[in-house]
Amino acid sequence: MNVSGLQIGQSNRWTSLRSYAGGKGIDVSRAIHEMGVQTVAYGFIGGNEGRIVEIMLDQEGVLFSFTPVEQATRTNFIINDSRSHQQTIINAPGPHISRKELERFIEKLRRITPVPDAMVISGSVPPGVPADIYYSLIRETRRYRVKTILDSAVQWLREGIKAKPYLVKPNVQEAEELLEKDLSNEEAIIRATFDLVKRGVEVAVVSRGKDGLIAATKDSIVKAVPPLVKVRSVVGAGDCTTAGLTIKLTSGETLIEACRLGVAMGTAAVLTPGTELCHRADVERLLPEIEVSEVAASPRSKAVFVK
């Protein structure tokens, strides 16, 4: 919803209104599909609102296999003020998921054929679902050697990381809460990625908004920085970054190339309004402009070197 000069407590008129199929997992699928890679979105769907989501995804050509639930899919609102260039996001509570609905969802995941290369687990946990669900899902999928990518708020990230997912992608604030450390400078963020890898994660990524990201494995650390661009909406940028990392890492490419695509897709997303996400043409144009460097750092010293 676009307005010009939002006045709290006063009557306002919107200048334009658009609806999108949203949600972190859905956004990852939409972004991967935009880049021409096969993906299927899973999750819960309910009511007329859920049917609208399915229609929108079908129009985009995004494949999905949702689990029907009794309660309606939630509707969130993003109010974009063109005068102040600020966004106000109003999120609704999700539908309550019953035990039987959750069991049907988990059973559907177990029957996925062929076994996927990766599974991105992202977003908040809806009411009725145990807080440790991501831990359980990661343990389950690891049995089939599926690379699990976890991108969620810290309360669910804290549980999920115990199952040692292939990749985690907190932002700086989430990493600070998870590790209980101040990450106010680049060196501290580099050490934070080391700490996450020590917990059994193969790839640890800390996203830094307009400053890009820092990613680490046990063998290397990579820093990727985007060019300055005019921001229209930050919604979905992190999900596009996750999509780019997933595309490259599951196809066997290097961490450097994964970070390059991830940052290019995340940057392309901020060029579009609402939750329109990235456009492939913008991503391809931005790729050469992403500054990627390999960083060498010792967790026992203060020395940081850029190769």
Side-chain angles (χ1 to χ4, degrees):
M1 181 182 298
N2 292 306
V3 300
S4 179
L6 178 64
Q7 297 181 0
I8 303 300
Q10 302 294 322
S11 177
N12 296 268
R13 290 184 184 273
W14 52 260
T15 56
S16 63
L17 180 68
R18 292 190 65 181
S19 297
Y20 302 88
K24 290 183 69 64
I26 284 177
D27 283 349
V28 172
S29 265
R30 291 173 61 207
I32 290 176
H33 173 77
E34 173 68 16
M35 299 305 296
V37 178
Q38 185 175 1
T39 173
V40 181
Y42 287 82
F44 301 105
I45 207 81
N48 291 330
E49 295 86 348
R51 181 58 184 150
I52 293 170
V53 169
E54 291 180 324
I55 292 171
M56 289 179 175
L57 291 178
D58 188 64
Q59 290 172 339
E60 287 188 44
V62 178
L63 300 178
F64 54 85
S65 182
F66 296 129
T67 299
V69 296
E70 183 176 348
Q71 294 190 6
T73 295
R74 66 176 178 167
T75 299
N76 298 333
F77 297 90
I78 303 168
I79 304 173
N80 184 59
D81 190 341
S82 60
R83 186 177 299 175
S84 67
H85 304 290
Q86 291 184 325
Q87 284 186 330
T88 301
I89 301 175
I90 304 174
N91 290 330
H96 184 278
I97 308 301
S98 71
R99 182 171 58 85
K100 289 185 177 180
E101 289 167 345
L102 178 60
E103 288 173 353
R104 291 204 310 270
F105 170 75
I106 294 174
E107 186 58 32
K108 176 175 286 191
L109 294 184
R110 288 173 177 160
R111 296 197 309 267
I112 297 177
T113 54
V115 175
D117 296 319
M119 181 176 291
V120 178
I121 301 171
S122 60
S124 59
V125 172
V129 175
D132 63 351
I133 183 62
Y134 290 165
Y135 173 87
S136 301
L137 290 178
I138 292 166
R139 287 289 299 270
E140 178 89 20
T141 52
R142 284 187 66 210
R143 291 169 48 197
Y144 302 99
R145 298 185 179 181
V146 176
K147 290 180 177 178
T148 49
I149 289 88
L150 177 61
D151 183 12
S152 186
V154 69
Q155 60 264 47
W156 300 294
L157 181 63
R158 184 175 286 113
E159 286 300 313
I161 203 171
K162 295 176 184 178
K164 300 180 180 180
Y166 171 73
L167 182 149
V168 295
K169 193 191 71 62
N171 59 31
V172 173
Q173 181 181 349
E174 290 165 345
E176 285 182 329
E177 292 183 48
L178 179 67
L179 299 171
E180 298 181 345
K181 294 181 179 180
D182 175 41
L183 304 180
S184 56
N185 58 65
E186 188 171 294
E187 183 181 334
I189 295 172
I190 289 173
R191 296 185 188 285
T193 61
F194 272 124
D195 290 343
L196 292 171
V197 170
K198 287 178 183 177
R199 295 190 180 199
V201 175
E202 289 191 43
V203 183
V205 180
V206 176
S207 58
R208 307 193 297 161
K210 63 180 177 61
D211 295 320
L213 59 79
I214 292 175
T217 66
K218 64 179 182 179
D219 300 316
S220 65
I221 303 174
V222 171
K223 172 184 173 182
V225 181
L228 291 176
V229 297
K230 184 176 180 180
V231 176
R232 298 187 67 185
S233 172
V234 298
V235 177
D239 302 323
C240 288
T241 300
T242 298
L245 292 165
T246 302
I247 289 171
K248 289 295 186 181
L249 291 174
T250 56
S251 62
E253 298 203 34
T254 65
L255 181 61
I256 285 178
E257 292 309 311
C259 292
R260 189 188 307 278
L261 181 61
V263 171
M265 291 180 66
T267 305
V270 307
L271 302 177
T272 60
T275 59
E276 197 171 314
L277 305 184
C278 60
H279 294 164
R280 187 170 183 172
D282 291 330
V283 174
E284 292 173 348
R285 176 177 55 81
L286 286 165
L287 275 171
E289 300 182 46
I290 307 301
E291 296 181 7
V292 187
S293 56
E294 189 173 1
V295 179
S298 169
R300 296 180 182 177
S301 74
K302 294 184 178 181
V304 177
F305 309 95
V306 177
K307 296 181 180 178

